[in-house]
Amino acid sequence: MIQAGVLGATGYTGFELVKLLAGHPAAETAFATSESYADRSLEDVFPAGPSLDLIPVQSAPLERADVVFICLPHGAAAPMAIVALEAGARVIDLSADFRLRDAGAYTRWYGLEHPAPHLLDGAVYGMIEFARAELPAARLVANPGCYPTSILPPLQPLLKAGACAVGHTIIADSKSGVSGAGREPKQHTHYVEVATNFSPYAIGRAHRHLPEMEQALNWWSNSAPELIFCPHLLPAPRGILSTIYVSLADGWGEADLRSLYDGTLAREPFLRLLPAGQLASLAHANFTNRCVFSITVAGETLILTSAIDNLIKGAAGQAVQNMNLMFGLDETLGLPGSRM
Amino acid sequence: MIQAGVLGATGYTGFELVKLLAGHPAAETAFATSESYADRSLEDVFPAGPSLDLIPVQSAPLERADVVFICLPHGAAAPMAIVALEAGARVIDLSADFRLRDAGAYTRWYGLEHPAPHLLDGAVYGMIEFARAELPAARLVANPGCYPTSILPPLQPLLKAGACAVGHTIIADSKSGVSGAGREPKQHTHYVEVATNFSPYAIGRAHRHLPEMEQALNWWSNSAPELIFCPHLLPAPRGILSTIYVSLADGWGEADLRSLYDGTLAREPFLRLLPAGQLASLAHANFTNRCVFSITVAGETLILTSAIDNLIKGAAGQAVQNMNLMFGLDETLGLPGSRM
Amino acid sequence: MIQAGVLGATGYTGFELVKLLAGHPAAETAFATSESYADRSLEDVFPAGPSLDLIPVQSAPLERADVVFICLPHGAAAPMAIVALEAGARVIDLSADFRLRDAGAYTRWYGLEHPAPHLLDGAVYGMIEFARAELPAARLVANPGCYPTSILPPLQPLLKAGACAVGHTIIADSKSGVSGAGREPKQHTHYVEVATNFSPYAIGRAHRHLPEMEQALNWWSNSAPELIFCPHLLPAPRGILSTIYVSLADGWGEADLRSLYDGTLAREPFLRLLPAGQLASLAHANFTNRCVFSITVAGETLILTSAIDNLIKGAAGQAVQNMNLMFGLDETLGLPGSRM
Amino acid sequence: MIQAGVLGATGYTGFELVKLLAGHPAAETAFATSESYADRSLEDVFPAGPSLDLIPVQSAPLERADVVFICLPHGAAAPMAIVALEAGARVIDLSADFRLRDAGAYTRWYGLEHPAPHLLDGAVYGMIEFARAELPAARLVANPGCYPTSILPPLQPLLKAGACAVGHTIIADSKSGVSGAGREPKQHTHYVEVATNFSPYAIGRAHRHLPEMEQALNWWSNSAPELIFCPHLLPAPRGILSTIYVSLADGWGEADLRSLYDGTLAREPFLRLLPAGQLASLAHANFTNRCVFSITVAGETLILTSAIDNLIKGAAGQAVQNMNLMFGLDETLGLPGSRM
């Protein structure tokens, strides 16, 4: 059994990870840490969850771990990655610390000196479908952000194939359930503020997931479009739906697009292009590791709707899928929703 | 007191109208009809609402009404409009029957021969802010659709001023609470199907509110952009938030836009442009007759967020505001949220 | 116009009060205070609410107020009551500070020395229906707790008439919307923790509203039953439904109970006994100042279901109703849901 | 692999069952029927669910099944049970048809002649914890109702031990998520009617689960108390919380009760008595096959709070647990939340 350490097990992401590992046939949680609930049981925090002792992060026996999942805030994650790598573990970081390859960009967007700039070059951006070749040898994987995981997969084949009109902006209008805002109570996550409300935030070119997405778009195309990204807070516990507007290059129609996706994504166990006439919704993806998307062509605009579970495919599930590939396992092991 | 008849008082829109009339200082409900609940009390249907006898529509004493509000399905509304006008009442129709000026377009979008094509020319499209001159003399007003009411008000000044880049599509990504889908129980409005879900429907150029919006855009500009309209069903009882993407014509920046809106909409009692740094949310508009919107410029794209209460500004409140203007009253009478 | 001061206007209760006063024909908010939002506008906190300047409590011009509403936490309210009374204002305290007549009981339940024990004797417990005679002369009114307001009104006539079996416990199983837990963000009011959950708390004889209710029961009967009170947190923004189980004294049947209520509560503008076959729900009371209840007899047990809006009848509405009676006004002024 | 047939796979219960079987290591769905969606795929109905062909019930190859799960309405289930038993399958009926042993009581409560009275004597009431001895040989199991599954488990030890005061009513105040009302759209399950509401229904001695519960109480005690049962509809998709009030016989205190439960239920894999100071909530049980309960003693009253997932422990999970025991498997196979 792969021995996994989980740093930060009492956030929504960390807890989801512990649940997935509890059902994984080839890996198990060797230890789990918590700052706020150290020396208590995970069951005290999530009463239907697995029973598991929580230890302070300083006591984590990193040397016993084959892999360490870091579910800590950005800034706090990178220093632990250094320690875990030195202890001989491989690291999957679910924070933002290793997503941007450029330490300067990190500073601009996160307001911090990067705590471990020497590790950036070796970090693999773990968006599975486009990182397969690098994962078996990877020692440090940056697990992608939740919004990018709902937006990038259906865009990559378009960019690679030159299907996007050059010079036209791509618009991603995303809606996320409240678990994406973290478990720490804030005014804007108070039940009464959210329950009958719906609100945009950090729209345009202001959200920290924007540079992460544009970095990937530029990997995939020399003439990548600029991105406008508008996230919204949805009165629902979990799930992200992104409605994405792409100006098509001349000559691309729905049949060409279906053929493109069939050629590139058809064998992906967790991606699903819906048949014509169906649109993605949270109900297509929640509680699974899937990214489910649809295509609709209106004039020269392609409208994609794309759904994921932000805590599974958008975080813990993708992290487990990364682990599976790093350790040479079937990538679907322990993950709900495989289509293979 | 203005005597108002309400045809179809037990849908969400009809009920909202009866509530507004109950608090109106210069109008009162003379009679209210219901097909499903005829001969019962409105309180049996909406237990916190006003007590009011419901009669079958055939028994409605239309001749006693100064104004008749029609809250019936499209196709059923127009025949009643004919009868009510003949009985001497003025008519505010909350259905879609008189929104499109072109009977052929009506047939294409609604699949019906128009029941009263001779009335189309005289019907006023009652989007208040742009219909003021026509309302005092109007005998038949088509109350606008809920989605158009959230989308058109901030667009009109842009079109009039030539602020939209010619040849570029406008995208409206709208999210509506479930009351917009009507009170009749359907599979897709079942609580369990909606409560933790979020789903797009009729996206692109497929929704019946699209031709209504493009008709207005073409009134306001000879080079009106095409519209892409993507509605989504929100797990919330009421409210619409539209996020609208407009390609700006050369030379337009945020200061020009603020100045444009200040010049055109500042004296509107129910429109509100938010100060820089604030975005609209359902909480800005629900339970009021307001349309609240924000502007954000990202490169050459203007992002508008615009919020209304679909049952008030998007239906019953706008209808009362129309009535106020038709009868020479202060337009804010009986309506929540006036800023004057 | 009655000049009203509101201390603590940015909690859910204070905001509801400001909204009610904004629509009141004979009173107006002279000033409103806030600790967290001092020197800002109420509209910054509740974007659809009235626009109103917020001042620090130390700057409140108490001498200009005819009445001061105190919406501060217990312990902080009583000292402000002293100051406001000395400044010549009448006081309606929405906190718990003056609800228990016995300073020792206050200390046991709230863990504090009472800050103003000399005022306890003169304070009127403002449960309107049973305090009418005292209100016109009252200078200090303790506005009842939200749970007691849903439980006590249908019990009072039973106790007065001897309809409860002696020696049998009354059980009140109450369910409250989340606004009852206050606006300050806490882990247990985080959207994700509440949205698909339902949880009891402080059950049995542990909640602070218990002594307040037993105090009233003992006023009304020399042989008042003991009370078991089980509150639950409901995934809804507002409203309380209490299901109350009473062992009937010999000989009491449904007809006798209806006759009793008809004789005692029929002229109450905001109390409503439902006809046979109907049960109370939040939809009967929310957004009104009503307490709506039903009676069902099963063997020797009377089952009451009783609904209020916790922010209106359970707090701000009841406070305004108290003000109306203290100042000799029609008690229904400015309050939604009157049946008169 | 055990071959399982599922009759009625597109209701909430049938779908939950198919999901559990999809993850079961020793059983699989051989066929699944649907009236409304025959000849379509289950994925068309529940887009995140397993892909499975749906057939009309008349085409079901019952002879190929080792076990047939019947998820049809009462009245329709019993005739299919006859056919399935004749085809050689064992039957687990999730409807109410075989829960009451007395055909006359069935007629009184369900308004139907019983379709298969000759099968009643041989049917096992499948409340696992109290049916273990009978399950291995059972050919027909009546899966208990959802409410009884939340109420009876903590009561059985009390009745067996004589801990309930004779002659005192037991009160069960239950709150259920909306999936308990079925998937067919009705006015009272419309999102807008439920989402901010909370309502009691069929209270006292009126709900069809009452005779099922009293039948069991009478099995367990010659002096079983009468039951008052008050169900409420909760604005949540799933889960039942029952708050149960029991008058204790003389001499029973909290320590005795803990000791009683430790002696009787401690080895149950899916029952959990919470430690002192903790109360059950939906979060303890949802998405698991657990029944989690707490005890609180207030004077002479025992207050139990008991939580289950209505679709799992209250329906499909309990059915799978029954299957496991009927076929000699480890009873926890394929079921979430085992504590063993």
Side-chain angles (χ1 to χ4, degrees), chain D residues 33-47:
Chain D
T33 78
S34 168
E35 194 176 349
S36 341
Y37 299 89
D39 303 320
R40 297 180 59 186
S41 161
L42 189 62
E43 224 172 8
D44 293 347
V45 190
F46 298 102

Side-chain angles (χ1 to χ4, degrees), chain B residues 12 37 45-46 178-179 181-187 189-196 234-237, chain D residues 12 37 45-46 178-179 181-187 189-196 234-237:
Chain B
Y12 292 130
Y37 299 88
V45 190
F46 299 102
V178 184
S179 57
R183 191 164 171 271
E184 197 188 327
K186 307 260 177 67
Q187 194 66 58
T189 57
H190 189 297
Y191 178 83
V192 176
E193 310 287 313
V194 175
T196 57
L234 199 59
Chain D
Y12 292 131
Y37 299 89
V45 190
F46 298 102
V178 185
S179 58
R183 191 163 171 270
E184 196 188 327
K186 306 259 177 68
Q187 195 65 57
T189 57
H190 189 297
Y191 178 83
V192 177
E193 310 287 314
V194 175
T196 57
L234 199 60

Side-chain angles (χ1 to χ4, degrees), chain A residues 195-278:
Chain A
T196 58
N197 199 3
F198 177 73
S199 46
Y201 64 98
I203 67 172
R205 298 187 52 76
H207 192 279
R208 285 166 168 170
H209 285 177
L210 183 78
E212 175 184 342
M213 289 191 276
E214 291 200 332
Q215 171 182 268
L217 298 182
N218 283 302
W219 289 335
W220 298 329
S221 166
N222 289 326
S223 56
E226 197 180 56
L227 188 62
I228 284 184
F229 170 52
C230 292
H232 302 71
L233 188 67
L234 198 60
R238 64 200 290 158
I240 291 177
L241 188 105
S242 293
T243 312
I244 309 166
Y245 303 89
V246 179
S247 292
L248 289 169
D250 281 352
W252 283 88
E254 182 162 337
D256 312 295
L257 293 165
R258 289 207 168 268
S259 159
L260 170 66
Y261 285 120
D262 286 348
T264 51
L265 302 181
R267 267 156 308 174
E268 286 295 337
F270 294 111
L271 298 193
R272 182 181 180 207
L273 170 59
L274 290 168
Q278 294 186 20

Side-chain angles (χ1 to χ4, degrees), chain D residues 124-125 127-137 264 267-270 321 325 331:
Chain D
V124 172
Y125 183 70
M127 183 153 288
I128 313 285
E129 290 77 9
F130 317 116
R132 284 230 168 69
E134 302 166 78
L135 289 169
T264 52
R267 266 155 309 174
E268 287 295 337
F270 294 111
Q321 197 179 353
L325 288 161
E331 76 184 276

Side-chain angles (χ1 to χ4, degrees), chain A residues 12 178-179 182-187 189-196 235-237, chain C residues 12 178-179 182-187 189-196 235-237:
Chain A
Y12 292 131
V178 185
S179 58
R183 191 163 172 270
E184 197 187 328
K186 306 258 178 68
Q187 195 66 57
T189 56
H190 189 298
Y191 178 83
V192 176
E193 311 286 314
V194 175
T196 58
Chain C
Y12 292 130
V178 184
S179 57
R183 191 164 172 269
E184 197 188 326
K186 306 258 178 68
Q187 194 66 57
T189 57
H190 189 296
Y191 178 82
V192 176
E193 311 287 313
V194 174
T196 57

Side-chain angles (χ1 to χ4, degrees), chain B residues 211-235:
Chain B
E212 176 184 342
M213 289 191 277
E214 291 200 332
Q215 171 182 267
L217 298 182
N218 283 302
W219 289 336
W220 298 329
S221 167
N222 290 326
S223 56
E226 196 180 58
L227 189 61
I228 284 184
F229 170 51
C230 292
H232 302 71
L233 188 67
L234 199 59

